[in-house]
Amino acid sequence: MKKRNAGMMVLLLLCLFLSGCGNVRTEDAVDEDIGASTIQTNEEAVSDTAVDKESPDTEDFSDELEFDESSLIKRGDGADNTGSARDGEILEVHFIDIGQGDSILIRQGNSAMLIDAGNNSKGTAVWSYLRSLNVESLDYAVATHPDADHIGGLDVILYKIDCGMIFMPSVKKDTKTYEELMDTIKQRRQTYIVPERGNIYALGNAQFEILTDTGRDYGENVNDYSIALRLVFGNTSFLFTGDAEEAAERDMIEGGQNLLSDVYKASHHGADTANTEEFLTAVNPKYCVISCGQDNTYGHPRAGFLNRLRAMGVKVFRTDEQGTVVAVSDGENITFNTGSSTSWIAGEPMGSEENSGNGHYIINTGTKKFHKPDCSSVKKMSDQNKKESVQSREELIAEGYEPCKNCNP
C-alpha cells in the first residue's frame, strides 16, 4: 500500500511539472503573436502614410531634414563603387522625350529611379510612360534643380506614385512650380534630403555616386546647384549632371571622383555655358544623349558643343530628332533603341540673345507679369516686386506669369 501511495505521489508531481512547462510555452507563443501583430505589409504601410491631396491636416516638415544613414551603402572616401551586374540582368535608362526639358527613368531589376519630370504640363505624360512600363513605385526621385523644365511635372509623379527617397539640391526658388512640388511632398507626408558628395546608393545591383558639392555657394546661378551623379552597372557607366554649368563642372573635376562614363547626358540640353572641353575630356564618353525640344527657342544644342563631340568621335542621340531614347546595359555592352544621329544640326536661338533663354526678363511678383528690360513699366515697379529672371518666356508662362501687353516680350 505504501509503495502504491508513493507511486501516486510521483505521478502527481510529474503532472504538475509538465503543467508548468506547458505554461512557459504558452507565454512564449503569446510574445510571438504580439511581435507579429506589429509587422505591416508594404501595402499596409503605404495605406497608413498616404494622404489625400486635398487634406488640410498635413505636417509642416522642417527644411533641415534627416535620413537613415543605413540607406547609404558606402561612403565615397575611397570606397569601390562598382555595381555588380549578374548574368542575364540588365539596366535600362530611358531618356523620355518631353520636349524642352529633362526626364530620365532608370530601372534595374525591381528598382527604379526618376531624374526630373519635365515642365508643369508634362507630369501626366511622364506618369503615363511609367505606367506603360508597369512602374508602380520609385526607389528614388531626383529633382536636379528647381527650374520648371526639370521639376514642373514631379508634383504629379510624387502624388500618384510612392517613392522611397527624394533628393533635392540645397537651393530653393520662389516660384509657383517650386511651391507646388513642396506642397505635394508635405501632403504625402514625405521628406527630401540634400545628398552629400561621395554618398553612394544602391539601385538594385547598380550603384550611383553623388558628385555634387552640395555645400558650395554658386550665388544666383541655379543651374550650378544641380545634383550630379554617376551610375555604374557592371563595367558600364552613365553620367547625369542636370543643368550644371562651368563652375560646377570645374568643382566636379577638382573633387577627384571618377567621372569617366560610357554614356553622358548632355548638361543643360547641350548649352555652350556647360559641357566644357575640360569636362568632356574628363568624362570621355562613347555616347552622348541630348534632351531638348524640337525647334526650341534656346538654340539647344549649340554648335560649339556638337563640334567638341564630333571631334572626340562621340555617338550622339537626340530626343528632338529621335524621340525617347532608351539605352540598355548588360553590364558589359550598351545598346540603344535607335541609331545615333548623323545630322549634327545645331539649334538656332530665336530673337535677341537677351531674350533667347539666357534670361533678361524683369518680372513683377505683385502683378505676375514679365517685361523686357527696357519696358517703360519696369521704371514704375517698386523695388520690392521687381526681380530679374533667368528663365525663358515659356517657363515664366508655365509658372503663371503673363507677358506685358506693352513691350510684348
Side-chain angles (χ1 to χ4, degrees), residues 45-314:
V46 168
S47 175
D48 287 346
T49 58
V51 179
D52 185 81
K53 192 169 185 178
E54 300 301 322
S55 172
D57 299 323
T58 57
E59 296 180 15
D60 183 15
F61 292 106
S62 169
D63 289 334
E64 299 297 327
L65 301 171
E66 298 180 355
F67 67 103
D68 184 0
E69 289 285 349
S70 64
S71 62
L72 290 171
I73 57 174
K74 292 171 186 169
R75 287 290 181 178
D77 46 359
D80 175 27
N81 62 338
T82 301
S84 177
R86 297 179 180 176
D87 290 342
E89 287 198 331
I90 62 170
L91 173 82
E92 303 171 19
V93 182
H94 300 247
F95 301 88
I96 306 171
D97 178 21
I98 42 83
Q100 184 65 22
D102 269 12
S103 186
I104 303 158
L105 170 68
I106 304 170
R107 297 202 303 176
Q108 204 295 300
N110 294 321
S111 299
M113 172 167 65
L114 184 69
I115 303 175
D116 294 329
N119 258 309
N120 291 277
S121 60
K122 301 300 181 180
T124 301
V126 174
W127 177 56
S128 297
Y129 188 85
L130 299 186
R131 288 185 64 191
S132 72
L133 296 175
N134 298 316
V135 177
E136 299 179 351
S137 63
L138 295 169
D139 294 62
Y140 308 93
V142 182
T144 58
H145 65 295
D147 278 352
D149 60 328
H150 290 253
I151 67 166
L154 266 180
D155 58 336
V156 174
I157 302 303
L158 293 180
Y159 179 68
K160 291 181 177 292
I161 296 179
D162 296 311
C163 181
M165 298 181 70
I166 302 170
F167 294 160
M168 295 181 70
S170 57
V171 68
K172 300 176 177 62
K173 201 166 186 180
D174 185 18
T175 63
K176 183 180 178 181
T177 297
Y178 186 81
E179 290 176 2
E180 288 174 345
L181 176 58
M182 295 307 300
D183 286 344
T184 299
I185 291 173
K186 292 177 182 178
Q187 287 168 348
R188 289 283 279 162
R189 298 189 185 277
Q190 293 180 291
T191 59
Y192 73 87
I193 68 168
V194 178
E196 297 179 6
R197 171 187 277 178
N199 285 358
I200 302 176
Y201 300 86
L203 182 71
N205 287 321
Q207 296 179 10
F208 63 94
E209 181 176 13
I210 304 298
L211 306 177
T212 309
D213 185 359
T214 49
R216 185 68 177 267
D217 182 2
Y218 292 104
E220 296 182 359
N221 190 346
V222 174
N223 289 337
D224 276 332
Y225 290 90
S226 293
I227 293 176
L229 59 92
R230 180 175 181 265
L231 176 74
V232 177
F233 182 64
N235 293 320
T236 61
S237 50
F238 299 74
L239 184 63
F240 310 91
T241 60
D243 278 1
E245 297 188 338
E246 185 174 357
E249 290 179 348
R250 186 169 56 252
D251 284 341
M252 282 186 264
I253 294 171
E254 294 175 354
Q257 292 159 283
N258 188 3
L259 299 178
L260 289 170
S261 301
D262 297 305
V263 180
Y264 171 56
K265 199 287 296 181
S267 186
H268 202 182
H269 321 287
D272 52 11
T273 54
N275 309 293
T276 61
E277 183 175 357
E278 183 183 11
F279 190 71
L280 287 176
T281 300
V283 177
N284 194 27
K286 299 176 184 177
Y287 312 99
C288 178
V289 180
I290 305 172
S291 180
C292 61
Q294 188 174 15
D295 300 324
N296 65 85
T297 59
Y298 301 92
H300 294 155
R302 293 299 179 91
F305 172 51
L306 290 177
N307 288 338
R308 285 193 284 272
L309 293 177
R310 195 169 191 175
M312 295 174 67
V314 178

Side-chain angles (χ1 to χ4, degrees), residues 355-370:
N355 289 326
S356 66
N358 290 327
H360 293 296
Y361 288 120
I362 304 299
I363 63 174
N364 188 323
T365 58
T367 63
K368 302 294 286 185
K369 292 184 179 180
F370 64 96

